[in-house]
Amino acid sequence: MPYDAAIDTRIKKVIAQWKNTSHKKMFGGVCHLLHGNMFCGVYQEYLILRLGEDAAADALDQAHVRVFDITGKPMRGWVMVDKNGFKSDDDLKNWLDKAKMFVKTLPPK
């Protein structure tokens, strides 16, 4: 199943003013990177987010959020959010800001 390009377009709109971002296709979807570190992407119809283990565990308490697992082995610190979890642009921005906050703690690649 191809990834939802409309979600990717929305992501690009939010992060357009961020510095040091790039994107590339991976795992049948697209990933966005900040300083070379993946922070979000689109897999099928899901927004995927790198939040770190603590924030990811907290996010799992919210509706429309699940563990990022596409291979049978969950990725620690990552979550998947279905479209109902980021209907508004503000919702999407809030999620992306959380991922940005975590990834800024990592050394640039």
Side-chain angles (χ1 to χ4, degrees), residues 9 12 19 26 32 34 36 38 53 55 72 74 77 82 100:
T9 299
K12 287 176 180 174
K19 295 183 187 298
M26 295 180 77
H32 291 269
L34 178 65
M38 290 188 292
E53 291 188 40
D82 78 31
K100 179 182 182 182

Side-chain angles (χ1 to χ4, degrees), residues 27-71:
F27 49 76
V30 64
C31 282
H32 291 269
L33 300 93
L34 178 65
H35 297 287
N37 291 297
M38 290 188 292
F39 72 93
C40 80
V42 183
Y43 177 75
Q44 296 179 356
E45 68 279 353
Y46 294 95
L47 169 66
I48 58 171
L49 298 157
R50 186 178 193 180
L51 303 177
E53 291 188 40
D54 293 339
D58 291 343
L60 291 172
D61 292 335
Q62 298 183 41
H64 314 293
V65 180
R66 64 185 230 192
V67 172
F68 180 35
D69 181 358
I70 59 174
T71 64

Side-chain angles (χ1 to χ4, degrees), residues 76-90:
R76 292 187 331 219
W78 287 79
V79 296
M80 299 173 72
V81 184
D82 78 31
K83 290 181 186 183
N84 291 317
F86 56 99
K87 287 183 180 180
S88 75
D89 290 342
D90 283 341

